[in-house]
Short mmCIF file of all heavy atoms in Angstrom, two decimals:
data_model
loop_
_atom_site.label_atom_id
_atom_site.label_comp_id
_atom_site.label_asym_id
_atom_site.label_seq_id
_atom_site.Cartn_x
_atom_site.Cartn_y
_atom_site.Cartn_z
N PHE A 606 41.26 -99.70 -146.42
CA PHE A 606 40.60 -98.52 -145.81
C PHE A 606 40.61 -97.34 -146.71
O PHE A 606 41.33 -97.28 -147.69
CB PHE A 606 41.24 -98.20 -144.46
CG PHE A 606 41.09 -99.29 -143.43
CD1 PHE A 606 42.21 -99.78 -142.77
CD2 PHE A 606 39.84 -99.81 -143.13
CE1 PHE A 606 42.11 -100.81 -141.85
CE2 PHE A 606 39.71 -100.81 -142.19
CZ PHE A 606 40.83 -101.31 -141.56
N SER A 607 39.81 -96.36 -146.37
CA SER A 607 39.61 -95.20 -147.25
C SER A 607 40.58 -94.03 -147.01
O SER A 607 40.42 -92.98 -147.59
CB SER A 607 38.15 -94.67 -147.17
OG SER A 607 37.89 -94.29 -145.83
N GLU A 608 41.57 -94.20 -146.08
CA GLU A 608 42.56 -93.16 -145.98
C GLU A 608 43.38 -93.04 -147.24
O GLU A 608 43.69 -94.06 -147.88
CB GLU A 608 43.50 -93.46 -144.79
CG GLU A 608 42.89 -93.25 -143.41
CD GLU A 608 42.14 -94.46 -142.93
OE1 GLU A 608 41.99 -95.41 -143.74
OE2 GLU A 608 41.63 -94.45 -141.81
N PRO A 609 43.70 -91.82 -147.66
CA PRO A 609 44.54 -91.66 -148.87
C PRO A 609 45.84 -92.41 -148.75
O PRO A 609 46.50 -92.37 -147.71
CB PRO A 609 44.78 -90.15 -148.95
CG PRO A 609 43.68 -89.54 -148.12
CD PRO A 609 43.36 -90.53 -147.04
N SER A 610 46.21 -93.14 -149.74
CA SER A 610 47.45 -93.92 -149.73
C SER A 610 47.92 -94.13 -151.12
O SER A 610 47.17 -94.54 -151.99
CB SER A 610 47.25 -95.25 -149.03
OG SER A 610 48.41 -96.01 -149.08
N MET A 611 49.22 -93.84 -151.36
CA MET A 611 49.80 -94.06 -152.67
C MET A 611 50.44 -95.44 -152.81
O MET A 611 50.93 -95.78 -153.84
CB MET A 611 50.81 -92.96 -152.99
CG MET A 611 50.22 -91.61 -153.22
SD MET A 611 49.10 -91.52 -154.62
CE MET A 611 50.28 -91.81 -155.99
N ASP A 612 50.45 -96.21 -151.71
CA ASP A 612 51.19 -97.46 -151.75
C ASP A 612 50.25 -98.69 -151.83
O ASP A 612 50.68 -99.80 -151.59
CB ASP A 612 52.10 -97.61 -150.54
CG ASP A 612 51.37 -97.63 -149.20
OD1 ASP A 612 50.14 -97.47 -149.24
OD2 ASP A 612 52.04 -97.77 -148.16
N LYS A 613 48.98 -98.44 -152.17
CA LYS A 613 48.08 -99.56 -152.40
C LYS A 613 47.03 -99.17 -153.42
O LYS A 613 46.71 -97.99 -153.60
CB LYS A 613 47.42 -100.00 -151.08
CG LYS A 613 46.61 -98.98 -150.33
CD LYS A 613 46.14 -99.50 -149.02
CE LYS A 613 45.42 -98.45 -148.21
NZ LYS A 613 44.99 -98.96 -146.87
N VAL A 614 46.48 -100.21 -154.08
CA VAL A 614 45.50 -99.96 -155.15
C VAL A 614 44.47 -101.05 -155.09
O VAL A 614 44.77 -102.23 -154.83
CB VAL A 614 46.20 -99.90 -156.53
CG1 VAL A 614 46.96 -101.18 -156.83
CG2 VAL A 614 45.19 -99.61 -157.61
N LEU A 615 43.22 -100.66 -155.33
CA LEU A 615 42.10 -101.62 -155.40
C LEU A 615 41.82 -101.89 -156.89
O LEU A 615 41.70 -100.96 -157.67
CB LEU A 615 40.88 -101.05 -154.74
CG LEU A 615 39.55 -101.91 -154.87
CD1 LEU A 615 39.73 -103.25 -154.21
CD2 LEU A 615 38.41 -101.13 -154.26
N VAL A 616 41.74 -103.16 -157.27
CA VAL A 616 41.46 -103.55 -158.68
C VAL A 616 40.17 -104.33 -158.72
O VAL A 616 39.97 -105.26 -157.98
CB VAL A 616 42.63 -104.41 -159.23
CG1 VAL A 616 42.33 -104.83 -160.64
CG2 VAL A 616 43.93 -103.63 -159.15
N LEU A 617 39.27 -103.90 -159.63
CA LEU A 617 38.05 -104.63 -159.88
C LEU A 617 38.11 -105.26 -161.25
O LEU A 617 38.25 -104.56 -162.26
CB LEU A 617 36.84 -103.69 -159.80
CG LEU A 617 35.48 -104.33 -160.02
CD1 LEU A 617 35.07 -105.17 -158.77
CD2 LEU A 617 34.40 -103.27 -160.32
N ASP A 618 38.00 -106.58 -161.31
CA ASP A 618 38.11 -107.32 -162.56
C ASP A 618 36.89 -108.25 -162.71
O ASP A 618 36.82 -109.28 -162.10
CB ASP A 618 39.43 -108.16 -162.55
CG ASP A 618 39.79 -108.73 -163.91
OD1 ASP A 618 39.00 -108.48 -164.84
OD2 ASP A 618 40.84 -109.43 -163.96
N SER A 619 35.90 -107.88 -163.50
CA SER A 619 35.93 -106.74 -164.41
C SER A 619 34.60 -106.01 -164.32
O SER A 619 33.61 -106.52 -163.77
CB SER A 619 36.15 -107.21 -165.85
OG SER A 619 35.02 -107.96 -166.27
N ALA A 620 34.54 -104.79 -164.91
CA ALA A 620 33.32 -104.05 -164.99
C ALA A 620 32.29 -104.81 -165.83
O ALA A 620 31.07 -104.75 -165.56
CB ALA A 620 33.57 -102.66 -165.57
N THR A 621 32.75 -105.48 -166.83
CA THR A 621 31.87 -106.27 -167.73
C THR A 621 31.18 -107.36 -166.93
O THR A 621 29.97 -107.54 -167.00
CB THR A 621 32.65 -106.87 -168.89
OG1 THR A 621 33.45 -105.82 -169.50
CG2 THR A 621 31.75 -107.50 -169.90
N GLN A 622 31.94 -108.13 -166.16
CA GLN A 622 31.40 -109.22 -165.38
C GLN A 622 30.48 -108.68 -164.29
O GLN A 622 29.41 -109.25 -163.97
CB GLN A 622 32.49 -110.07 -164.77
CG GLN A 622 32.02 -111.28 -163.98
CD GLN A 622 31.38 -112.31 -164.93
OE1 GLN A 622 31.75 -112.45 -166.07
NE2 GLN A 622 30.38 -113.02 -164.39
N LEU A 623 30.84 -107.55 -163.69
CA LEU A 623 30.02 -106.93 -162.69
C LEU A 623 28.67 -106.51 -163.27
O LEU A 623 27.61 -106.73 -162.61
CB LEU A 623 30.70 -105.71 -162.07
CG LEU A 623 29.90 -104.96 -161.01
CD1 LEU A 623 29.61 -105.85 -159.79
CD2 LEU A 623 30.66 -103.70 -160.62
N SER A 624 28.68 -105.95 -164.44
CA SER A 624 27.41 -105.54 -165.12
C SER A 624 26.50 -106.74 -165.30
O SER A 624 25.28 -106.67 -165.04
CB SER A 624 27.70 -104.87 -166.44
OG SER A 624 28.44 -103.72 -166.27
N ASN A 625 27.06 -107.83 -165.78
CA ASN A 625 26.29 -109.06 -166.03
C ASN A 625 25.75 -109.64 -164.73
O ASN A 625 24.59 -110.08 -164.64
CB ASN A 625 27.12 -110.10 -166.75
CG ASN A 625 27.53 -109.70 -168.14
OD1 ASN A 625 26.86 -108.87 -168.77
ND2 ASN A 625 28.63 -110.27 -168.63
N SER A 626 26.58 -109.60 -163.70
CA SER A 626 26.20 -110.12 -162.41
C SER A 626 25.07 -109.30 -161.76
O SER A 626 24.09 -109.83 -161.19
CB SER A 626 27.41 -110.17 -161.46
OG SER A 626 27.10 -110.78 -160.23
N ILE A 627 25.19 -107.95 -161.88
CA ILE A 627 24.14 -107.11 -161.29
C ILE A 627 22.82 -107.31 -162.04
O ILE A 627 21.75 -107.41 -161.41
CB ILE A 627 24.58 -105.64 -161.40
CG1 ILE A 627 25.69 -105.33 -160.37
CG2 ILE A 627 23.37 -104.69 -161.13
CD1 ILE A 627 26.25 -103.95 -160.47
N LEU A 628 22.84 -107.44 -163.36
CA LEU A 628 21.64 -107.67 -164.10
C LEU A 628 21.00 -109.00 -163.70
O LEU A 628 19.76 -109.08 -163.49
CB LEU A 628 21.92 -107.68 -165.61
CG LEU A 628 20.71 -107.85 -166.52
CD1 LEU A 628 19.74 -106.68 -166.31
CD2 LEU A 628 21.12 -107.92 -167.97
N ALA A 629 21.81 -110.04 -163.50
CA ALA A 629 21.28 -111.33 -163.10
C ALA A 629 20.66 -111.18 -161.68
O ALA A 629 19.64 -111.84 -161.39
CB ALA A 629 22.38 -112.37 -163.08
N MET A 630 21.32 -110.39 -160.83
CA MET A 630 20.84 -110.25 -159.44
C MET A 630 19.48 -109.53 -159.43
O MET A 630 18.53 -110.00 -158.75
CB MET A 630 21.83 -109.45 -158.59
CG MET A 630 21.39 -109.19 -157.17
SD MET A 630 22.63 -108.21 -156.24
CE MET A 630 22.48 -106.62 -157.01
N VAL A 631 19.35 -108.42 -160.17
CA VAL A 631 18.07 -107.70 -160.11
C VAL A 631 16.95 -108.49 -160.81
O VAL A 631 15.79 -108.43 -160.37
CB VAL A 631 18.23 -106.31 -160.75
CG1 VAL A 631 19.23 -105.45 -160.00
CG2 VAL A 631 18.59 -106.39 -162.20
N MET A 632 17.27 -109.28 -161.83
CA MET A 632 16.28 -110.10 -162.46
C MET A 632 15.84 -111.24 -161.51
O MET A 632 14.64 -111.61 -161.49
CB MET A 632 16.81 -110.68 -163.79
CG MET A 632 16.97 -109.65 -164.90
SD MET A 632 17.64 -110.37 -166.42
CE MET A 632 16.31 -111.48 -166.89
N LYS A 633 16.80 -111.79 -160.77
CA LYS A 633 16.45 -112.86 -159.81
C LYS A 633 15.52 -112.32 -158.72
O LYS A 633 14.53 -112.98 -158.38
CB LYS A 633 17.74 -113.42 -159.20
CG LYS A 633 17.56 -114.59 -158.32
CD LYS A 633 18.89 -115.14 -157.84
CE LYS A 633 18.71 -116.37 -156.96
NZ LYS A 633 20.02 -116.93 -156.53
N VAL A 634 15.80 -111.12 -158.23
CA VAL A 634 14.97 -110.50 -157.22
C VAL A 634 13.55 -110.27 -157.74
O VAL A 634 12.56 -110.41 -157.02
CB VAL A 634 15.57 -109.19 -156.72
CG1 VAL A 634 14.61 -108.41 -155.84
CG2 VAL A 634 16.90 -109.46 -155.96
#
């Protein structure tokens, strides 16, 4: 959830793969 909290962290692995995936998605559409 979006409440401020110092005892949890969201990790996205990775920005590189996300960029490739988004490009593939928009090209597919």
Side-chain angles (χ1 to χ4, degrees):
F606 296 126
S607 59
E608 287 84 355
S610 176
M611 290 298 293
D612 63 357
K613 59 185 176 182
V614 59
L615 174 63
V616 178
L617 182 73
D618 191 359
S619 66
T621 309
Q622 184 65 33
L623 178 62
S624 298
N625 294 337
S626 185
I627 289 174
L628 184 60
M630 178 180 71
V631 298
M632 289 179 65
K633 186 176 182 179
V634 170

